[in-house]
Amino acid sequence: MFSTLQEYHQAIISAAWMITLSLIPQDLVRAGAILLGFLICLQTIRPRILMKTLQLRLSSLEEKLQDAVDTGIMRRSDTSFINQFVRDMGRIRYMIFDLHERTLMTSGGIFQEMKAVWEGLSLEINECIRDVDALERNLEINRAKILKNHYHLWR
């Protein structure tokens, strides 16, 4: 039946695994799957990870703002857009400093992070990420309007 000793050992190991897996109750497998799903979900809503995402988005916004200033787009923008943009940018920076401070206070361990998630810190960070994205979108819309008006004169 078995041509080599190695095949015999593999068959024994395979049978042992089949017996072991058949002894594990279905509920235990389900509980393990739920726990694994919870851990993956927790990893995506951890405040420290979300703060890194927020800081990357803010850096992207600041690069686009610097580009708009360097190319003269902001100089050609209307004053109401610039004033609103400056107010929004200041509000977002204040929120980021506050969220960063609160995130650093939860860096004592996973249970402190879970408590912070429960208290809504991750939701606030996600809201701030959406605000940064909206501000970046407004900057791009303004840039497109300015460029369209600039090239419209060439027609």
Side-chain angles (χ1 to χ4, degrees):
M1 179 170 178
F2 300 108
S3 62
T4 65
L5 187 60
Q6 185 176 2
E7 288 178 4
Y8 180 71
H9 284 273
Q10 286 178 340
I12 290 175
I13 291 172
S14 178
W17 274 110
M18 288 178 62
I19 291 169
T20 303
L21 292 176
S22 68
L23 294 176
I24 296 175
Q26 294 278 338
D27 293 336
L28 187 59
V29 173
R30 286 188 190 106
I34 290 171
L35 179 64
L36 181 62
F38 175 74
L39 291 175
I40 290 170
C41 181
L42 182 63
Q43 183 68 16
T44 61
I45 61 171
R46 288 179 61 191
R48 283 189 290 167
I49 292 171
L50 288 174
M51 276 306 298
K52 289 178 185 176
T53 302
L54 176 58
Q55 289 172 342
L56 286 173
R57 297 270 175 86
L58 181 64
S59 294
S60 171
L61 172 63
E62 288 174 340
E63 286 174 11
K64 288 182 180 181
L65 176 61
Q66 186 62 46
D67 184 54
V69 168
D70 291 345
T71 59
I73 297 292
M74 292 304 280
R75 188 177 59 247
R76 289 183 261 164
S77 299
D78 60 347
T79 55
S80 63
F81 172 79
I82 293 173
N83 291 336
Q84 184 64 42
F85 189 86
V86 168
R87 276 193 303 274
D88 290 343
M89 192 72 172
R91 180 182 55 80
I92 286 174
R93 282 193 174 134
Y94 177 79
M95 285 173 43
I96 289 173
F97 290 135
D98 178 54
L99 292 170
H100 186 66
E101 176 187 16
R102 290 171 50 201
T103 300
L104 289 174
M105 288 194 291
T106 65
S107 63
I110 190 71
F111 292 113
Q112 285 183 338
E113 272 194 299
M114 286 174 47
K115 181 182 175 202
V117 168
W118 180 259
E119 292 172 349
L121 181 60
S122 295
L123 293 175
E124 290 180 49
I125 295 170
N126 275 324
E127 183 179 318
C128 193
I129 289 171
R130 285 191 298 274
D131 289 346
V132 169
D133 289 343
L135 195 57
E136 187 173 352
R137 188 172 42 257
N138 289 342
L139 182 64
E140 290 297 320
I141 290 170
N142 183 58
R143 173 190 208 101
K145 285 180 185 177
I146 298 286
L147 291 174
K148 182 182 96 175
N149 290 338
H150 178 72
Y151 288 111
H152 179 70
L153 297 174
W154 288 14
R155 284 174 88 190

